[in-house]
């Protein structure tokens, strides 16, 4: 009997141990072409391939998406009703999945009250610490929260007691830590009224100049129906009372044309709809208006700490919670270690571990009061990693999307160590990556391609790193590419002076940035690169900035609509056929009436994943049948939107369809390596690298003498970096000045001039440690950048 039991146990154990692979068969998400792959569990697998080859579709859109969908289905129907519904990926078999934790590049927090402290557990732990140890004691943890206002009230309440109604007087009070002057924002705003309206005009003449508040629509009807002022009277002639109504009126119920509406003063509306978001999360035209119309100054009452006077009065070792939150995290970790309080020992231990994780992951230069919206994509991704480093979970699948984004070569080693630590705890680690340094640590490599878009979506190699080098794939051929230092550099034709720059950690920096050349601004993460360029260069006249903010777009948005390309195309169709341009928009008059121009019919199934089916009327073409009878150069509008960019360049460049405005935009799209994208491809299906380059192509069309590019190699395959360098050269040769904030050594080596900041991050940085040519930087080798660049070029 014991022998049988032993044999059975052995058989069971071996069967369980046999589930050591994640099997994917027949994956067809986006551009994947019936992909079959088996991934080893408890190993580090890196997915490579050009941007748009299908890496994200396989890793995020198939493996991680199905894991999360299946986990969501384990919750009750009631709970699922509050969760986002997810479609089942288009795949035949998915086997061996474990719980997937996605650590993506999405920026954190669009709310001005979201900080590094509130976005992680550290802020909550600090508030508990001060509520226990702060002297004098002012209240519980919420008394130290700048997101909780202090309120009190009293009144009669009706209760049922013993079967009858009884009225009792009740009082309540909540002690919060919010500064009443700035409402927890840390800044007080003052408005330039000339940017809100033209005082010489009346409301009916279009005096209001605030974006989204046109007098032609409902907003104009509301203004005319308030009765507080005469809409035909110039605003400059308003009485003090009338102007106060226009600008500061509290929300007031009014009736316009028989409809109950609410009128709110202009300034209160701006504060609610625009200033409630972090500046970095605003749409570009809203951001431009806010920069023009609103002057932000440190709140005079709280000194920018966001906290009430009571919260600031309670201190531990002479510091209140605002001062502690403003400390550099590496310094804060040391401060917490010095606290001796056995009554909160576990709390101190947990707080110390979390702060040490920040330092370990290379974010020790941040402070807990840093607005979350100001973190770069790479910083946000590493901040999200904090909670996973000390996790007791094992046999989890961690999915990373280019974790080396925003990292100096010096910091990539540290990131690699963290990825290996997660693997060694018994987890499966899947990483989408382009950097050779991270590909080099992989246990298993999956290369997708051979190209991007419809020319990709296949597994072109699977195996070891050495096998990838010998495989002959695009990644294999370019894996050991190394750009060489320029033998000659361009001569500047002037300089942009920066004097006394002191934003964030900069220490009164004086520097002359040469013009008419390619300048690379380098340094470790947190050394002050972005503070210097975005703080002192980006807002000058004639400067075009291509930053890291994500482009937003619904499933109706596509490259043609985002870049403005659709406008000249619609006009060309209208002119050729003698009809209105609106007919050639799937969001306007030309839309298929059955699907409203979406091309598919969406059916909402409540708590279950919604269904989308191809529209039977337009067959996915999105336009009404009569519109498709109109042609330009022998093609209808749906055929044009189905064209790849490369084909459209030729189509609109010559012949009967020649349209110079459209051709210019298409050439820029081809220049940034997006020749394979179709004009009508939904933005929601584009990869991060494709979106970055789409943004680059769009903003290159703006008139300006100086271009500032913030890490343009983000999401770029090794083979595409060379094309980007050619694009930068063409910009400079056309008479532009190009300033690139970059960590990629190929860009550094190709630059005419390098400005290196450091020597470290946070308060250990903020100084210019080198100015000169790349060759001089390599010869100097006293900075971290110089040492890594010398190793890269083999000097």
């Amino acid at each position: 009997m014991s022998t049988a039991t032993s044999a059975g146990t052995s058989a069971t154990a071996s069967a369980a141990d046999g589930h050591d692979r994640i099997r994917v068969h027949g994956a067809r998400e986006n551009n994947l072409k019936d992909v079959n792959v088996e991934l080893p569990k408890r190993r580090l697998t890196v997915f490579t391939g050009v941007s748009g080859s299908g890496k994200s579709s396989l890793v995020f859109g198939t493996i991680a998406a199905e894991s999360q969908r299946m986990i969501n289905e384990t919750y009750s129907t009631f709970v699922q009703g509050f969760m986002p519904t997810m479609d089942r990926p288009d795949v035949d078999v998915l086997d061996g999945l474990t719980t997937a934790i996605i650590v993506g590049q999405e920026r954190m927090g669009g709310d001005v009250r979201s900080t590094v402290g509130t976005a992680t557990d550290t802020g909550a732990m600090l508030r508990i610490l001060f509520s226990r140890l702060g002297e004098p004691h002012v209240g519980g943890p919420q008394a130290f929260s700048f997101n909780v206002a202090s309120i009190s009230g009293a009144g009669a309440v009706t209760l049922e007691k013993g079967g009858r109604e009884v009225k009792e007087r009740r009082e309540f009070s909540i002690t919060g830590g919010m500064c009443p002057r700035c409402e927890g924002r840390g800044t007080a705003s003052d408005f330039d009224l000339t940017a809100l309206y033209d005082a010489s005009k009346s409301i009916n003449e279009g005096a209001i100049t605030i974006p989204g508040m046109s007098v032609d629509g409902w907003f104009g009807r509301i203004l005319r129906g308030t009765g507080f002022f005469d809409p035909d009277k110039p605003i400059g002639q308003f009485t003090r009372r009338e102007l106060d109504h226009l600008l500061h009126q509290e929300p007031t119920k009014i009736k316009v044309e028989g409809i109950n509406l609410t009128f709110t003063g202009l300034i209160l509306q701006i504060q609610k709809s625009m200033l409630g978001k972090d500046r970095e999360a605003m749409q570009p035209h809203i951001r431009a208006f806010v920069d023009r119309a609103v002057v932000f100054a440190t709140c005079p009452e709280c000194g920018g700490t966001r906290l009430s006077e009571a919260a600031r009065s309670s201190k531990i070792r002479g510091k209140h919670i605002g001062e502690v939150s403003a400390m550099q995290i590496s310094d804060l970790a040391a401060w917490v270690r010095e606290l001796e309080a056995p009554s909160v020992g576990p709390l101190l231990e947990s707080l110390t571990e979390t702060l040490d994780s920040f330092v370990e992951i290379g974010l020790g230069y941040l402070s807990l009061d840093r607005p979350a919206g100001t973190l770069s994509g790479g910083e946000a991704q590493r901040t999200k990693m904090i909670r996973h480093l000390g996790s007791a979970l094992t046999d989890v699948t961690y999915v990373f999307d280019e974790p080396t984004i925003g990292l100096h070569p010096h910091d990539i080693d540290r990131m690699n160590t963290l990825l290996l630590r997660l693997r060694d705890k018994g987890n499966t680690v899947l990483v989408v990556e382009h950097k050779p340094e991270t590909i080099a640590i992989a246990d298993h490599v999956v290369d997708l391609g051979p190209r991007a878009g419809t020319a990709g979506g296949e597994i072109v190699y699977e195996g070891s790193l050495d096998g990838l080098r010998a495989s002959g794939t695009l990644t294999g051929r370019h894996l050991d590419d190394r750009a060489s230092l320029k033998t000659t550099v361009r001569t500047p034709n002037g300089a942009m002076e920066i004097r006394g720059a002191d934003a964030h950690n900069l220490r009164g920096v004086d520097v002359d940035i040469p013009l008419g050349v390619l300048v690379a601004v380098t340094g470790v993460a947190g050394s002050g690169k972005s503070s210097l360029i975005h703080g002192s260069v980006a807002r000058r006249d004639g400067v075009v900035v291509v930053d890291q903010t994500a482009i937003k777009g619904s499933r109706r948005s596509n490259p043609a609509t985002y870049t403005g390309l659709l406008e000249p195309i619609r006009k060309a169709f209208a002119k050729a056929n003698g009809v209105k341009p609106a007919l050639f928009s799937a969001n306007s008059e030309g839309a298929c009436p059955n699907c409203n121009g979406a091309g598919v019919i969406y059916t909402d199934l409540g708590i279950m994943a919604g269904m989308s089916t191809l529209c039977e009327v337009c067959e996915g073409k999105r336009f009404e049948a009569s519109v498709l009878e109109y042609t330009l150069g022998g093609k209808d509008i749906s055929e044009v939107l189905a064209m790849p960019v490369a084909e459209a360049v030729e189509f609109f460049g010559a012949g009967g369809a020649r349209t110079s405005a459209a051709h210019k935009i298409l050439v820029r799209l081809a220049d940034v390596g997006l020749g394979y994208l179709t004009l009508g491809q939904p933005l929601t299906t584009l990869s991060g690298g494709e979106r970055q380059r789409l943004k680059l192509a769009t903003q290159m069309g703006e008139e300006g003498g100086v271009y500032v590019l913030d890490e343009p190699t983000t999401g770029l395959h090794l083979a595409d970096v060379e094309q980007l360098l050619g694009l930068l050269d063409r910009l400079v040769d056309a008479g532009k000045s190009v300033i690139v904030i970059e960590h990629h050594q190929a860009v550094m080596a190709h630059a005419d001039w390098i400005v290196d900041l450091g020597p470290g991050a946070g308060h250990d940085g903020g100084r210019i440690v080198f100015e000169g040519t790349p060759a001089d930087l390599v010869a100097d080798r006293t900075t971290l950048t110089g040492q890594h660049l010398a190793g890269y070029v083999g000097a």
Side-chain angles (χ1 to χ4, degrees):
M1 186 174 180
S2 61
T3 307
T5 304
S6 174
T9 304
S10 175
T12 305
S14 62
D17 291 341
H19 296 282
D20 59 352
R21 303 187 84 74
I22 297 173
R23 294 191 309 122
V24 181
H25 282 255
R28 292 175 294 275
E29 217 32 49
N30 296 328
N31 67 330
L32 296 178
K33 298 173 182 174
D34 272 319
V35 164
N36 301 325
V37 66
E38 293 193 2
L39 309 174
K41 286 186 182 178
R42 293 173 287 282
R43 296 292 183 271
L44 173 62
T45 300
V46 175
F47 294 80
T48 61
V50 295
S51 180
S53 60
K55 303 183 300 298
S56 295
S57 297
L58 176 59
V59 179
F60 295 95
T62 304
I63 299 171
E66 179 63 358
S67 171
Q68 293 204 317
R69 187 186 72 85
M70 294 179 79
I71 289 168
N72 288 357
E73 286 187 350
T74 64
Y75 294 104
S76 68
T77 305
F78 174 76
V79 173
Q80 287 184 53
F82 296 96
M83 303 172 80
T85 55
M86 303 175 75
D87 293 335
R88 186 185 186 281
D90 189 1
V91 60
D92 293 333
V93 178
L94 268 174
D95 191 30
L97 293 178
T98 65
T99 303
I101 295 175
I102 299 174
V103 187
Q105 296 175 22
E106 296 80 17
R107 285 183 169 236
M108 296 172 65
D111 192 284
V112 291
R113 292 194 182 90
S114 178
T115 65
V116 172
T118 61
T120 60
D121 294 334
T122 46
M125 287 190 278
L126 267 187
R127 292 194 294 275
I128 296 171
L129 184 68
F130 272 83
S131 71
R132 299 288 192 275
L133 302 183
E135 292 291 341
H137 178 74
V138 295
Q142 67 184 12
F144 298 92
S145 172
F146 54 76
N147 286 323
V148 179
S150 293
I151 55 175
S152 60
V157 295
T158 303
L159 306 171
E160 278 203 13
K161 284 188 175 181
R164 63 192 184 88
E165 288 189 351
V166 179
K167 284 192 174 182
E168 292 184 3
R169 179 177 172 80
R170 293 285 177 91
E171 296 183 0
F172 77 93
S173 73
I174 296 173
T175 302
M178 178 187 289
C179 168
R181 170 78 166 83
C182 65
E183 296 182 336
R185 290 186 174 93
T187 56
S189 53
D190 194 14
F191 289 81
D192 177 2
L193 299 184
T194 61
L196 308 187
Y197 57 78
D198 182 344
S200 66
K201 294 181 179 178
S202 69
I203 287 169
N204 280 338
E205 290 171 333
I208 309 301
T209 56
I210 303 168
M213 297 187 186
S214 168
V215 292
D216 297 330
W218 269 106
F219 179 71
R221 293 189 199 179
I222 292 171
L223 281 180
R224 285 188 285 268
T226 62
F228 292 135
F229 34 71
D230 181 357
D232 291 313
K233 180 180 177 181
I235 293 180
Q237 296 176 18
F238 274 21
T239 64
R240 196 169 184 175
R241 182 180 175 81
E242 288 173 326
L243 191 60
D244 188 65
H245 281 309
L246 177 67
L247 298 177
H248 303 289
Q249 181 67 37
E250 293 289 333
T252 305
K253 298 285 185 185
I254 61 171
K255 189 167 253 186
V256 178
E257 300 172 18
I259 300 171
N260 292 322
L261 297 167
T262 301
F263 168 67
T264 307
L266 299 183
I267 286 179
L268 292 181
Q269 281 208 51
I270 292 170
Q271 288 174 332
K272 181 180 178 183
S273 63
M274 298 180 187
L275 303 189
K277 290 183 178 177
D278 186 83
R279 182 183 176 277
E280 302 301 323
M282 295 175 185
Q283 293 176 293
H285 71 288
I286 299 293
R287 189 189 311 173
F289 166 74
V290 169
D291 288 345
R292 186 173 69 250
V294 187
V295 178
F296 294 99
T298 301
C299 175
E301 192 163 313
C302 68
T305 62
R306 307 167 178 243
L307 295 160
S308 65
E309 186 178 355
R312 286 180 279 122
S313 69
S314 182
K315 299 183 179 182
I316 299 175
R317 293 186 60 198
K319 291 184 181 293
H320 60 68
I321 190 170
E323 292 170 323
V324 168
S325 297
M327 293 172 71
Q328 185 164 304
I329 288 176
S330 56
D331 295 339
L332 176 56
W335 183 81
V336 171
R337 268 197 192 84
E338 293 172 3
L339 297 179
E340 293 182 7
S343 61
V344 289
L347 175 65
L348 288 175
E349 186 179 337
S350 180
L351 180 57
T352 302
E353 284 179 6
T354 306
L355 294 173
D356 285 344
S357 293
F358 272 101
V359 177
E360 187 178 8
I361 210 167
L363 295 177
Y365 59 87
L366 295 179
S367 60
L368 297 185
D369 66 354
R370 169 88 173 259
T374 65
L375 299 182
S376 69
E379 287 172 330
Q381 188 172 24
R382 283 180 284 153
T383 300
K384 293 174 201 168
M385 279 183 74
I386 298 294
R387 69 186 61 184
H388 304 303
L389 293 178
S391 172
L393 291 173
T394 60
D395 248 332
V396 170
T397 299
Y398 285 98
V399 186
F400 291 94
D401 190 4
E402 294 186 56
T404 60
I405 280 180
L407 287 185
H408 188 272
H410 174 71
D411 297 315
I412 291 178
D413 289 341
R414 185 181 281 168
M415 176 58 73
N416 286 347
T417 302
L418 294 171
L419 294 174
L420 293 172
R421 261 181 55 192
L422 284 173
R423 178 203 66 184
D424 293 344
K425 283 176 63 178
N427 299 305
T428 304
V429 182
L430 308 181
V431 182
V432 173
E433 189 53 84
H434 292 295
K435 292 281 175 66
E437 296 96 327
T438 300
I439 298 173
I441 66 166
D443 300 310
H444 190 69
V445 179
V446 177
D447 192 24
L448 283 96
R451 290 286 176 175
T454 54
E458 302 172 33
I459 303 289
V460 292
Y461 173 78
E462 188 181 355
S464 67
L465 178 66
D466 291 336
L468 177 64
R469 280 197 173 92
S471 65
T473 67
L474 197 63
T475 305
R477 293 199 305 272
H478 289 273
L479 194 59
D480 295 317
D481 278 3
R482 296 291 182 269
S484 55
L485 293 171
K486 282 183 173 178
T487 51
T488 58
V489 294
R490 299 179 183 92
T491 304
N493 57 18
M496 181 185 293
E497 292 186 359
I498 297 175
R499 296 290 179 267
D502 58 2
H504 300 306
N505 66 329
L506 296 178
R507 303 186 181 187
V509 168
D510 296 335
V511 62
D512 292 337
I513 297 182
L515 299 176
V517 297
L518 175 59
V519 178
V521 181
T522 61
V524 297
S527 60
K529 305 181 299 299
S530 296
S531 299
L532 177 66
I533 301 303
H534 291 296
S536 301
V537 175
R539 298 186 189 181
R540 299 191 186 193
D541 292 338
V543 175
V544 177
V545 181
V546 185
D547 59 20
Q548 295 181 26
T549 51
I551 67 173
K552 294 178 174 64
S554 67
R555 54 195 174 203
R556 285 180 174 270
S557 303
N558 53 51
T561 58
Y562 181 78
T563 59
L565 172 65
L566 190 59
E567 191 65 23
I569 290 177
R570 288 168 53 202
K571 288 180 179 176
F573 265 94
K575 186 177 179 182
N577 294 281
V579 292
K580 291 190 296 185
L583 283 176
F584 303 99
S585 169
N587 296 325
S588 188
E589 293 180 27
C592 165
N594 189 51
C595 63
N596 293 322
V600 292
I601 304 292
Y602 293 99
T603 307
D604 185 5
L605 299 177
I607 62 159
M608 298 177 70
M611 292 286 293
S612 61
T613 53
L614 195 69
C615 175
E616 295 177 356
V617 176
C618 67
E619 296 178 335
K621 293 181 179 178
R622 303 177 64 195
F623 291 90
E624 202 171 357
S626 60
V627 174
L628 300 179
E629 293 175 7
Y630 300 116
T631 61
L632 176 69
K635 293 188 181 291
D636 64 45
I637 184 67
S638 69
E639 291 172 322
V640 167
L641 291 176
M643 279 185 184
V645 168
E647 184 183 332
V649 169
E650 296 180 15
F651 181 76
F652 288 103
R658 188 173 183 277
T659 309
S660 59
H663 187 254
K664 281 181 184 175
I665 297 172
L666 287 162
V667 167
R668 292 202 299 270
L669 286 169
D671 278 346
V672 297
L674 295 177
Y676 60 89
L677 281 188
T678 57
L679 306 186
Q681 183 175 338
L683 286 189
T684 51
T685 65
L686 301 189
S687 69
E690 287 169 333
R691 288 181 175 223
Q692 176 88 344
R693 283 182 285 161
L694 185 61
K695 186 176 179 181
L696 175 60
T698 304
Q699 293 184 263
M700 273 171 49
E702 296 182 22
E703 289 299 319
V706 179
Y707 285 81
V708 172
L709 282 68
D710 195 348
E711 295 188 49
T713 60
T714 297
L716 282 191
H717 185 267
L718 298 159
D720 295 323
V721 173
E722 192 175 332
Q723 184 171 358
L724 174 71
L725 295 176
L727 172 64
L728 299 181
D729 279 340
R730 286 197 296 279
L731 281 173
V732 176
D733 294 340
K736 309 292 186 184
S737 301
V738 180
I739 302 169
V740 184
I741 301 170
E742 192 53 83
H743 292 294
H744 203 296
Q745 295 102 316
V747 180
M748 297 179 198
H750 196 74
D752 299 304
W753 192 261
I754 287 181
V755 176
D756 193 26
L757 282 95
H763 58 47
D764 296 324
R767 297 193 294 271
I768 303 292
V769 292
F770 176 83
E771 293 177 75
T773 65
D776 290 340
L777 178 63
V778 168
D780 180 65
R781 296 198 200 193
T782 56
T783 71
L784 285 170
T785 305
Q787 292 162 18
H788 283 277
L789 184 58
Y792 175 83
V793 299

